[in-house]
Amino acid sequence: FQAEDGIRDIGVPGVIMRTWIVLLAMACGLIAGGCSDDDAGPSRQSAPDASDDAQEQGDAGSDSESDIGDATADVPGDEQCQLPDVADGPGLVVTDRGYVMGTQDGEAWAWKGIPFAAAPEGDLRFRPPQKAACWDGVLDTADFGPVCPQVSAEFNSIRGVGDEDCLQLNVWSPVDGDDGTRRPVLVYIHGGANIVGSASVEPISGTVLHRGTHLATRGDAVVVTIQYRLGPLGFMTLPALDEESNTRTSGNYGIMDQLAALEWVQRNIEAFGGDPERVMVFGESAGAFNTCVVVASPLASGLLSAALMQSGACSAASKQAGQDNSAGAVELLLCDEADDVLACLRDHDAHDVVRVASGGIGLGESDTENGLSWGPVVDGFVLPESPLDLIESGRHNQIPMVVGSNADEMASTGLNRIQVNSEQEYVAVVEGVFGVLGDLAVDRILEMYPVDDYESPNDAF
């Protein structure tokens, strides 16, 4: 695109188009389905008495909320909410920030767009999430909230979309959830390379990929899908940000958003029929990477009881690598020579920030033209060490955990950029990709996936 508003030219990252194919692979067998809303239905469990919201925030058994809050001096929205008198009715639930009114979605009740943190805009940009303010009356939750700022590639151009007031979550609970049973809770972290995606993405217009009604009814569970900050807004780490933080560190804001959502679950999910002592976090692609970070982080203590990773790994960049990457973004945004670098970064429109410093799908190294890659870093606060080091030494949250991959996830020709046209090419590609594991691994892979078992060498790959 052409330079606008004093922002330097960059090329359109080629992987942005492919990123949407990543989203198509997100847990389709678990959650995908059509959409319908029917306001009629059985009554939900009566909303708890308004005085219930005055409980101490630590009652859920988690110390991490105060730990995250300590990262900044002022915590707006931390007051106790004064709730009005509201007549009970189907779909009405009280949270610690106010009443929410749901709608019936198939055989489940749905509450969409519930704020779990304040909008991280203005001075709150590049800071840990703050508790959402109380709201008056009853919040209508019939519609999803906005996606977090990210890039969208259309017609060979790139633009910023979304809104910083995006730290919201969605809840689905079976319509018969008023039977007094506390159901297990499934909290889903969406993928998208930590630069795109949302809890309400529609790969096909009108079809929400992460609609939780099917999983809630088939699994007899309460399902929660969450949003979190992406790209530079979620993972910027700079010495100047370290200096202004009470914890003397920066980055991992997107991960702290996920932890804040889990804290919200601990405080509120019982009102939706869920069991705060049975919370499984799961995610696909970047959501799986982030799930492992949550499992490894000491700040997640008491927030989850199980985890599941779909098509991801346990890794995080070094703090220095993250700061080198962020310095490149500062330069692209023309803030490197500003008198106040942080003020410059916070003054930029959020769409410009993600558009110029978008980054791409890279596992440690970016494959985009602007050379940026965004994701978790070992910051000494959220992650004292790399996730694998913490897990191998037993210093993680020791909970049941499933690690796996979605079947045939790389089968798409759009996502799989390596095309193999002959058996000779197939062997060469396997050796090139997996040779780092040693000859024994290469031989075993070729034995398990012989070309003759497939219609083409590319299918074998």
Side-chain angles (χ1 to χ4, degrees), residues 369-399:
E369 293 182 33
N370 65 17
L372 302 180
S373 181
W374 300 104
V377 298
V378 178
D379 63 346
F381 177 56
V382 175
L383 278 177
E385 298 177 27
S386 74
L388 277 182
D389 286 344
L390 290 169
I391 291 172
E392 288 177 351
S393 62
R395 289 174 291 145
H396 63 300
N397 295 289
Q398 299 187 26
I399 57 176

PDB file of all heavy atoms in Angstrom, residues 369-399:
ATOM      1  N   GLU A 369       7.682  -9.692   4.791  1.00  0.00           N
ATOM      2  CA  GLU A 369       8.603  -8.737   4.212  1.00  0.00           C
ATOM      3  C   GLU A 369       9.098  -7.712   5.223  1.00  0.00           C
ATOM      4  O   GLU A 369      10.184  -7.175   5.083  1.00  0.00           O
ATOM      5  CB  GLU A 369       7.932  -8.042   3.031  1.00  0.00           C
ATOM      6  CG  GLU A 369       7.673  -8.986   1.855  1.00  0.00           C
ATOM      7  CD  GLU A 369       7.055  -8.249   0.688  1.00  0.00           C
ATOM      8  OE1 GLU A 369       7.367  -7.058   0.495  1.00  0.00           O
ATOM      9  OE2 GLU A 369       6.260  -8.858  -0.033  1.00  0.00           O
ATOM     10  N   ASN A 370       8.293  -7.419   6.245  1.00  0.00           N
ATOM     11  CA  ASN A 370       8.769  -6.431   7.208  1.00  0.00           C
ATOM     12  C   ASN A 370       9.557  -7.066   8.352  1.00  0.00           C
ATOM     13  O   ASN A 370      10.006  -6.377   9.249  1.00  0.00           O
ATOM     14  CB  ASN A 370       7.613  -5.572   7.752  1.00  0.00           C
ATOM     15  CG  ASN A 370       6.594  -6.355   8.561  1.00  0.00           C
ATOM     16  OD1 ASN A 370       6.864  -7.466   9.000  1.00  0.00           O
ATOM     17  ND2 ASN A 370       5.431  -5.763   8.762  1.00  0.00           N
ATOM     18  N   GLY A 371       9.726  -8.382   8.329  1.00  0.00           N
ATOM     19  CA  GLY A 371      10.640  -9.046   9.243  1.00  0.00           C
ATOM     20  C   GLY A 371      10.198  -9.130  10.680  1.00  0.00           C
ATOM     21  O   GLY A 371      11.027  -9.312  11.576  1.00  0.00           O
ATOM     22  N   LEU A 372       8.890  -9.007  10.978  1.00  0.00           N
ATOM     23  CA  LEU A 372       8.413  -9.005  12.352  1.00  0.00           C
ATOM     24  C   LEU A 372       7.686 -10.295  12.678  1.00  0.00           C
ATOM     25  O   LEU A 372       7.016 -10.885  11.830  1.00  0.00           O
ATOM     26  CB  LEU A 372       7.475  -7.818  12.592  1.00  0.00           C
ATOM     27  CG  LEU A 372       8.050  -6.433  12.321  1.00  0.00           C
ATOM     28  CD1 LEU A 372       7.002  -5.371  12.607  1.00  0.00           C
ATOM     29  CD2 LEU A 372       9.308  -6.176  13.141  1.00  0.00           C
ATOM     30  N   SER A 373       7.819 -10.741  13.905  1.00  0.00           N
ATOM     31  CA  SER A 373       7.103 -11.919  14.373  1.00  0.00           C
ATOM     32  C   SER A 373       6.661 -11.658  15.804  1.00  0.00           C
ATOM     33  O   SER A 373       7.447 -11.191  16.631  1.00  0.00           O
ATOM     34  CB  SER A 373       8.023 -13.152  14.326  1.00  0.00           C
ATOM     35  OG  SER A 373       7.346 -14.303  14.758  1.00  0.00           O
ATOM     36  N   TRP A 374       5.388 -11.952  16.108  1.00  0.00           N
ATOM     37  CA  TRP A 374       4.836 -11.601  17.408  1.00  0.00           C
ATOM     38  C   TRP A 374       4.401 -12.846  18.159  1.00  0.00           C
ATOM     39  O   TRP A 374       3.841 -13.776  17.585  1.00  0.00           O
ATOM     40  CB  TRP A 374       3.647 -10.662  17.245  1.00  0.00           C
ATOM     41  CG  TRP A 374       4.001  -9.388  16.549  1.00  0.00           C
ATOM     42  CD1 TRP A 374       3.726  -9.045  15.264  1.00  0.00           C
ATOM     43  CD2 TRP A 374       4.745  -8.295  17.112  1.00  0.00           C
ATOM     44  NE1 TRP A 374       4.234  -7.805  14.988  1.00  0.00           N
ATOM     45  CE2 TRP A 374       4.864  -7.321  16.097  1.00  0.00           C
ATOM     46  CE3 TRP A 374       5.308  -8.047  18.359  1.00  0.00           C
ATOM     47  CZ2 TRP A 374       5.527  -6.116  16.303  1.00  0.00           C
ATOM     48  CZ3 TRP A 374       5.966  -6.849  18.563  1.00  0.00           C
ATOM     49  CH2 TRP A 374       6.068  -5.900  17.547  1.00  0.00           C
ATOM     50  N   GLY A 375       4.644 -12.839  19.460  1.00  0.00           N
ATOM     51  CA  GLY A 375       4.232 -13.958  20.295  1.00  0.00           C
ATOM     52  C   GLY A 375       4.814 -13.830  21.691  1.00  0.00           C
ATOM     53  O   GLY A 375       5.445 -12.821  22.038  1.00  0.00           O
ATOM     54  N   PRO A 376       4.610 -14.852  22.538  1.00  0.00           N
ATOM     55  CA  PRO A 376       5.094 -14.801  23.921  1.00  0.00           C
ATOM     56  C   PRO A 376       6.612 -14.713  23.994  1.00  0.00           C
ATOM     57  O   PRO A 376       7.328 -15.236  23.130  1.00  0.00           O
ATOM     58  CB  PRO A 376       4.582 -16.116  24.519  1.00  0.00           C
ATOM     59  CG  PRO A 376       3.482 -16.558  23.611  1.00  0.00           C
ATOM     60  CD  PRO A 376       3.846 -16.077  22.253  1.00  0.00           C
ATOM     61  N   VAL A 377       7.099 -14.062  25.042  1.00  0.00           N
ATOM     62  CA  VAL A 377       8.530 -13.977  25.307  1.00  0.00           C
ATOM     63  C   VAL A 377       8.791 -14.354  26.760  1.00  0.00           C
ATOM     64  O   VAL A 377       7.906 -14.257  27.618  1.00  0.00           O
ATOM     65  CB  VAL A 377       9.090 -12.560  25.035  1.00  0.00           C
ATOM     66  CG1 VAL A 377       8.918 -12.181  23.574  1.00  0.00           C
ATOM     67  CG2 VAL A 377       8.448 -11.532  25.949  1.00  0.00           C
ATOM     68  N   VAL A 378      10.013 -14.787  27.037  1.00  0.00           N
ATOM     69  CA  VAL A 378      10.440 -15.070  28.406  1.00  0.00           C
ATOM     70  C   VAL A 378      10.740 -13.725  29.061  1.00  0.00           C
ATOM     71  O   VAL A 378      11.808 -13.135  28.847  1.00  0.00           O
ATOM     72  CB  VAL A 378      11.670 -15.990  28.420  1.00  0.00           C
ATOM     73  CG1 VAL A 378      12.124 -16.236  29.864  1.00  0.00           C
ATOM     74  CG2 VAL A 378      11.364 -17.315  27.727  1.00  0.00           C
ATOM     75  N   ASP A 379       9.780 -13.230  29.834  1.00  0.00           N
ATOM     76  CA  ASP A 379       9.867 -11.866  30.366  1.00  0.00           C
ATOM     77  C   ASP A 379      10.243 -11.806  31.838  1.00  0.00           C
ATOM     78  O   ASP A 379      10.413 -10.721  32.388  1.00  0.00           O
ATOM     79  CB  ASP A 379       8.539 -11.137  30.147  1.00  0.00           C
ATOM     80  CG  ASP A 379       7.386 -11.791  30.914  1.00  0.00           C
ATOM     81  OD1 ASP A 379       7.546 -12.940  31.381  1.00  0.00           O
ATOM     82  OD2 ASP A 379       6.316 -11.161  31.033  1.00  0.00           O
ATOM     83  N   GLY A 380      10.334 -12.937  32.508  1.00  0.00           N
ATOM     84  CA  GLY A 380      10.652 -12.938  33.934  1.00  0.00           C
ATOM     85  C   GLY A 380       9.460 -12.701  34.829  1.00  0.00           C
ATOM     86  O   GLY A 380       9.590 -12.735  36.059  1.00  0.00           O
ATOM     87  N   PHE A 381       8.301 -12.493  34.248  1.00  0.00           N
ATOM     88  CA  PHE A 381       7.091 -12.231  35.034  1.00  0.00           C
ATOM     89  C   PHE A 381       6.002 -13.249  34.679  1.00  0.00           C
ATOM     90  O   PHE A 381       5.689 -14.124  35.475  1.00  0.00           O
ATOM     91  CB  PHE A 381       6.605 -10.803  34.783  1.00  0.00           C
ATOM     92  CG  PHE A 381       5.335 -10.443  35.487  1.00  0.00           C
ATOM     93  CD1 PHE A 381       5.216 -10.564  36.861  1.00  0.00           C
ATOM     94  CD2 PHE A 381       4.241  -9.956  34.769  1.00  0.00           C
ATOM     95  CE1 PHE A 381       4.033 -10.221  37.515  1.00  0.00           C
ATOM     96  CE2 PHE A 381       3.057  -9.607  35.406  1.00  0.00           C
ATOM     97  CZ  PHE A 381       2.959  -9.741  36.786  1.00  0.00           C
ATOM     98  N   VAL A 382       5.471 -13.148  33.480  1.00  0.00           N
ATOM     99  CA  VAL A 382       4.541 -14.174  33.023  1.00  0.00           C
ATOM    100  C   VAL A 382       5.280 -15.494  32.824  1.00  0.00           C
ATOM    101  O   VAL A 382       4.785 -16.560  33.193  1.00  0.00           O
ATOM    102  CB  VAL A 382       3.857 -13.729  31.711  1.00  0.00           C
ATOM    103  CG1 VAL A 382       2.973 -14.844  31.145  1.00  0.00           C
ATOM    104  CG2 VAL A 382       3.035 -12.472  31.944  1.00  0.00           C
ATOM    105  N   LEU A 383       6.462 -15.415  32.237  1.00  0.00           N
ATOM    106  CA  LEU A 383       7.295 -16.593  31.996  1.00  0.00           C
ATOM    107  C   LEU A 383       8.682 -16.367  32.588  1.00  0.00           C
ATOM    108  O   LEU A 383       9.510 -15.649  32.008  1.00  0.00           O
ATOM    109  CB  LEU A 383       7.426 -16.861  30.496  1.00  0.00           C
ATOM    110  CG  LEU A 383       6.301 -17.610  29.805  1.00  0.00           C
ATOM    111  CD1 LEU A 383       6.579 -17.706  28.311  1.00  0.00           C
ATOM    112  CD2 LEU A 383       6.112 -19.001  30.401  1.00  0.00           C
ATOM    113  N   PRO A 384       8.980 -16.952  33.737  1.00  0.00           N
ATOM    114  CA  PRO A 384      10.327 -16.818  34.309  1.00  0.00           C
ATOM    115  C   PRO A 384      11.389 -17.444  33.419  1.00  0.00           C
ATOM    116  O   PRO A 384      12.519 -16.963  33.346  1.00  0.00           O
ATOM    117  CB  PRO A 384      10.228 -17.548  35.647  1.00  0.00           C
ATOM    118  CG  PRO A 384       8.769 -17.596  35.952  1.00  0.00           C
ATOM    119  CD  PRO A 384       8.074 -17.683  34.634  1.00  0.00           C
ATOM    120  N   GLU A 385      11.028 -18.549  32.749  1.00  0.00           N
ATOM    121  CA  GLU A 385      11.916 -19.249  31.821  1.00  0.00           C
ATOM    122  C   GLU A 385      11.060 -19.752  30.670  1.00  0.00           C
ATOM    123  O   GLU A 385       9.843 -19.540  30.640  1.00  0.00           O
ATOM    124  CB  GLU A 385      12.641 -20.406  32.526  1.00  0.00           C
ATOM    125  CG  GLU A 385      13.549 -19.983  33.667  1.00  0.00           C
ATOM    126  CD  GLU A 385      14.181 -21.180  34.369  1.00  0.00           C
ATOM    127  OE1 GLU A 385      14.349 -22.225  33.715  1.00  0.00           O
ATOM    128  OE2 GLU A 385      14.492 -21.070  35.567  1.00  0.00           O
ATOM    129  N   SER A 386      11.694 -20.441  29.723  1.00  0.00           N
ATOM    130  CA  SER A 386      10.933 -20.967  28.597  1.00  0.00           C
ATOM    131  C   SER A 386       9.918 -21.986  29.100  1.00  0.00           C
ATOM    132  O   SER A 386      10.144 -22.650  30.123  1.00  0.00           O
ATOM    133  CB  SER A 386      11.864 -21.622  27.577  1.00  0.00           C
ATOM    134  OG  SER A 386      12.332 -22.876  28.061  1.00  0.00           O
ATOM    135  N   PRO A 387       8.784 -22.132  28.404  1.00  0.00           N
ATOM    136  CA  PRO A 387       7.763 -23.090  28.854  1.00  0.00           C
ATOM    137  C   PRO A 387       8.305 -24.497  29.031  1.00  0.00           C
ATOM    138  O   PRO A 387       7.991 -25.169  30.025  1.00  0.00           O
ATOM    139  CB  PRO A 387       6.704 -23.023  27.750  1.00  0.00           C
ATOM    140  CG  PRO A 387       6.858 -21.667  27.163  1.00  0.00           C
ATOM    141  CD  PRO A 387       8.325 -21.366  27.230  1.00  0.00           C
ATOM    142  N   LEU A 388       9.113 -24.969  28.071  1.00  0.00           N
ATOM    143  CA  LEU A 388       9.636 -26.332  28.184  1.00  0.00           C
ATOM    144  C   LEU A 388      10.556 -26.492  29.383  1.00  0.00           C
ATOM    145  O   LEU A 388      10.523 -27.520  30.069  1.00  0.00           O
ATOM    146  CB  LEU A 388      10.372 -26.727  26.901  1.00  0.00           C
ATOM    147  CG  LEU A 388       9.502 -27.246  25.758  1.00  0.00           C
ATOM    148  CD1 LEU A 388      10.371 -27.647  24.572  1.00  0.00           C
ATOM    149  CD2 LEU A 388       8.660 -28.432  26.206  1.00  0.00           C
ATOM    150  N   ASP A 389      11.395 -25.490  29.655  1.00  0.00           N
ATOM    151  CA  ASP A 389      12.276 -25.574  30.827  1.00  0.00           C
ATOM    152  C   ASP A 389      11.464 -25.634  32.111  1.00  0.00           C
ATOM    153  O   ASP A 389      11.784 -26.405  33.035  1.00  0.00           O
ATOM    154  CB  ASP A 389      13.226 -24.372  30.868  1.00  0.00           C
ATOM    155  CG  ASP A 389      14.333 -24.466  29.820  1.00  0.00           C
ATOM    156  OD1 ASP A 389      14.544 -25.575  29.284  1.00  0.00           O
ATOM    157  OD2 ASP A 389      14.965 -23.435  29.532  1.00  0.00           O
ATOM    158  N   LEU A 390      10.407 -24.841  32.193  1.00  0.00           N
ATOM    159  CA  LEU A 390       9.566 -24.858  33.390  1.00  0.00           C
ATOM    160  C   LEU A 390       8.869 -26.204  33.548  1.00  0.00           C
ATOM    161  O   LEU A 390       8.761 -26.744  34.655  1.00  0.00           O
ATOM    162  CB  LEU A 390       8.538 -23.728  33.311  1.00  0.00           C
ATOM    163  CG  LEU A 390       9.093 -22.302  33.447  1.00  0.00           C
ATOM    164  CD1 LEU A 390       8.034 -21.287  33.079  1.00  0.00           C
ATOM    165  CD2 LEU A 390       9.593 -22.053  34.872  1.00  0.00           C
ATOM    166  N   ILE A 391       8.403 -26.761  32.432  1.00  0.00           N
ATOM    167  CA  ILE A 391       7.700 -28.047  32.495  1.00  0.00           C
ATOM    168  C   ILE A 391       8.668 -29.181  32.810  1.00  0.00           C
ATOM    169  O   ILE A 391       8.386 -30.048  33.660  1.00  0.00           O
ATOM    170  CB  ILE A 391       6.959 -28.298  31.168  1.00  0.00           C
ATOM    171  CG1 ILE A 391       5.796 -27.307  31.026  1.00  0.00           C
ATOM    172  CG2 ILE A 391       6.433 -29.730  31.093  1.00  0.00           C
ATOM    173  CD1 ILE A 391       5.114 -27.328  29.680  1.00  0.00           C
ATOM    174  N   GLU A 392       9.815 -29.185  32.144  1.00  0.00           N
ATOM    175  CA  GLU A 392      10.783 -30.267  32.372  1.00  0.00           C
ATOM    176  C   GLU A 392      11.298 -30.289  33.811  1.00  0.00           C
ATOM    177  O   GLU A 392      11.629 -31.348  34.345  1.00  0.00           O
ATOM    178  CB  GLU A 392      11.947 -30.132  31.396  1.00  0.00           C
ATOM    179  CG  GLU A 392      11.570 -30.494  29.959  1.00  0.00           C
ATOM    180  CD  GLU A 392      12.711 -30.293  28.983  1.00  0.00           C
ATOM    181  OE1 GLU A 392      13.743 -29.704  29.385  1.00  0.00           O
ATOM    182  OE2 GLU A 392      12.581 -30.712  27.819  1.00  0.00           O
ATOM    183  N   SER A 393      11.352 -29.119  34.440  1.00  0.00           N
ATOM    184  CA  SER A 393      11.832 -29.049  35.828  1.00  0.00           C
ATOM    185  C   SER A 393      10.694 -29.159  36.838  1.00  0.00           C
ATOM    186  O   SER A 393      10.930 -29.047  38.041  1.00  0.00           O
ATOM    187  CB  SER A 393      12.595 -27.739  36.040  1.00  0.00           C
ATOM    188  OG  SER A 393      11.752 -26.624  35.840  1.00  0.00           O
ATOM    189  N   GLY A 394       9.454 -29.356  36.353  1.00  0.00           N
ATOM    190  CA  GLY A 394       8.321 -29.535  37.252  1.00  0.00           C
ATOM    191  C   GLY A 394       7.838 -28.278  37.917  1.00  0.00           C
ATOM    192  O   GLY A 394       7.116 -28.333  38.913  1.00  0.00           O
ATOM    193  N   ARG A 395       8.188 -27.114  37.362  1.00  0.00           N
ATOM    194  CA  ARG A 395       7.782 -25.849  37.979  1.00  0.00           C
ATOM    195  C   ARG A 395       6.591 -25.225  37.271  1.00  0.00           C
ATOM    196  O   ARG A 395       6.342 -24.035  37.395  1.00  0.00           O
ATOM    197  CB  ARG A 395       8.968 -24.876  37.990  1.00  0.00           C
ATOM    198  CG  ARG A 395      10.055 -25.267  38.982  1.00  0.00           C
ATOM    199  CD  ARG A 395      11.265 -24.372  38.847  1.00  0.00           C
ATOM    200  NE  ARG A 395      11.961 -24.605  37.577  1.00  0.00           N
ATOM    201  CZ  ARG A 395      12.565 -23.654  36.872  1.00  0.00           C
ATOM    202  NH1 ARG A 395      12.519 -22.401  37.285  1.00  0.00           N
ATOM    203  NH2 ARG A 395      13.190 -23.951  35.752  1.00  0.00           N
ATOM    204  N   HIS A 396       5.852 -26.018  36.542  1.00  0.00           N
ATOM    205  CA  HIS A 396       4.652 -25.548  35.848  1.00  0.00           C
ATOM    206  C   HIS A 396       3.426 -25.878  36.696  1.00  0.00           C
ATOM    207  O   HIS A 396       3.541 -26.435  37.791  1.00  0.00           O
ATOM    208  CB  HIS A 396       4.545 -26.230  34.488  1.00  0.00           C
ATOM    209  CG  HIS A 396       4.382 -27.716  34.566  1.00  0.00           C
ATOM    210  ND1 HIS A 396       5.333 -28.539  35.169  1.00  0.00           N
ATOM    211  CD2 HIS A 396       3.385 -28.552  34.157  1.00  0.00           C
ATOM    212  CE1 HIS A 396       4.933 -29.791  35.109  1.00  0.00           C
ATOM    213  NE2 HIS A 396       3.745 -29.823  34.509  1.00  0.00           N
ATOM    214  N   ASN A 397       2.263 -25.534  36.203  1.00  0.00           N
ATOM    215  CA  ASN A 397       1.014 -25.932  36.847  1.00  0.00           C
ATOM    216  C   ASN A 397       0.757 -27.392  36.491  1.00  0.00           C
ATOM    217  O   ASN A 397       0.410 -27.705  35.350  1.00  0.00           O
ATOM    218  CB  ASN A 397      -0.125 -25.036  36.363  1.00  0.00           C
ATOM    219  CG  ASN A 397       0.067 -23.591  36.784  1.00  0.00           C
ATOM    220  OD1 ASN A 397      -0.051 -23.254  37.950  1.00  0.00           O
ATOM    221  ND2 ASN A 397       0.382 -22.730  35.820  1.00  0.00           N
ATOM    222  N   GLN A 398       0.942 -28.271  37.435  1.00  0.00           N
ATOM    223  CA  GLN A 398       0.935 -29.699  37.151  1.00  0.00           C
ATOM    224  C   GLN A 398      -0.504 -30.205  37.099  1.00  0.00           C
ATOM    225  O   GLN A 398      -1.106 -30.536  38.116  1.00  0.00           O
ATOM    226  CB  GLN A 398       1.770 -30.437  38.189  1.00  0.00           C
ATOM    227  CG  GLN A 398       3.220 -29.961  38.164  1.00  0.00           C
ATOM    228  CD  GLN A 398       4.130 -30.781  39.057  1.00  0.00           C
ATOM    229  OE1 GLN A 398       3.872 -31.944  39.339  1.00  0.00           O
ATOM    230  NE2 GLN A 398       5.218 -30.169  39.499  1.00  0.00           N
ATOM    231  N   ILE A 399      -1.009 -30.277  35.874  1.00  0.00           N
ATOM    232  CA  ILE A 399      -2.401 -30.653  35.621  1.00  0.00           C
ATOM    233  C   ILE A 399      -2.432 -31.652  34.482  1.00  0.00           C
ATOM    234  O   ILE A 399      -1.481 -31.761  33.712  1.00  0.00           O
ATOM    235  CB  ILE A 399      -3.244 -29.411  35.240  1.00  0.00           C
ATOM    236  CG1 ILE A 399      -2.623 -28.711  34.020  1.00  0.00           C
ATOM    237  CG2 ILE A 399      -3.377 -28.448  36.411  1.00  0.00           C
ATOM    238  CD1 ILE A 399      -3.406 -27.550  33.499  1.00  0.00           C
TER     239      ILE A 399
END
